[in-house]
Amino acid sequence: SYASKLDVLFVFSTDSVEDELELSAVRHRPECLEQLEAQTRFTRKELQILYRGFKNECPSGVVNEDTFKEIYSQFFPQGDASTYAHFLFNAFDTDHNGSVSFEDFVMGLSILLRGSVQEKLNWAFNLYDINKDGYITKEEMLDIIKSIYDMMGKCTYPTLKEETPRQHVEVFFQKMDKNRDGVVTIDEFIDCCQNDENIMRSMQLFENII
């Protein structure tokens, strides 16, 4: 599921790269681009390409949640991506003002594609911590996993049973919650993920994709 998240994020951000669009919008914000170049792991050229695609999809320069869901649903027509897109939107909306700016988006993308293992896992923890209280509960993890299954659709999981997401969460949560207090802290989350070969492999695949 982690690999699929990164894959979609990459597709969403670069879908318009090949379009022959004017870069005038980019030229209006040179100071901003210079600042982002210093704050992210993207080159100036990469930021211009990303901004061109972002502005093509979002001419106002920001994305609200409804627009984010609409864009995201295009990549998963076989399923219902709205719930997962809601959680993802909240993870990108770091100042919780109800919109995702290009700065918000590219900062998150930089972590997911070029960040250290620690940075990526911190970002993933924030995604799973739905109410942002510093802990992941079993229900929060279940909500995220169910939303991923919903997004992938029945054609991807033709024999999916109703209880499959909960079974998946039971195993994984038990593995993470080492002190058995019913919540997963960021330290428990990072420790568990770093010792999971599948999670580590899925993150490494996207480090140099752009």
Side-chain angles (χ1 to χ4, degrees), residues 101-146:
S101 66
F102 177 68
E103 290 83 358
D104 293 331
F105 179 70
V106 81
M107 292 291 284
L109 198 67
S110 175
I111 291 171
L112 289 168
L113 296 181
R114 304 275 172 84
S116 66
V117 168
Q118 183 84 18
E119 288 170 329
K120 291 177 182 179
L121 291 176
N122 280 333
W123 200 94
F125 181 88
N126 179 56
L127 171 68
Y128 278 83
D129 179 17
I130 294 172
N131 69 357
K132 312 304 177 198
D133 67 351
Y135 301 96
I136 300 174
T137 65
K138 191 180 292 185
E139 288 307 310
E140 284 177 319
M141 188 175 286
L142 180 60
D143 286 344
I144 297 285
I145 296 300
K146 281 168 95 173

Side-chain angles (χ1 to χ4, degrees), residues 2 5 33 35 42 44 59 81 110 116 124 148 157 190:
Y2 199 88
K5 283 189 288 184
L33 285 181
Q35 186 178 357
F42 294 126
R44 187 176 183 83
S110 175
S116 66
I148 292 171
Y157 299 97
I190 289 174

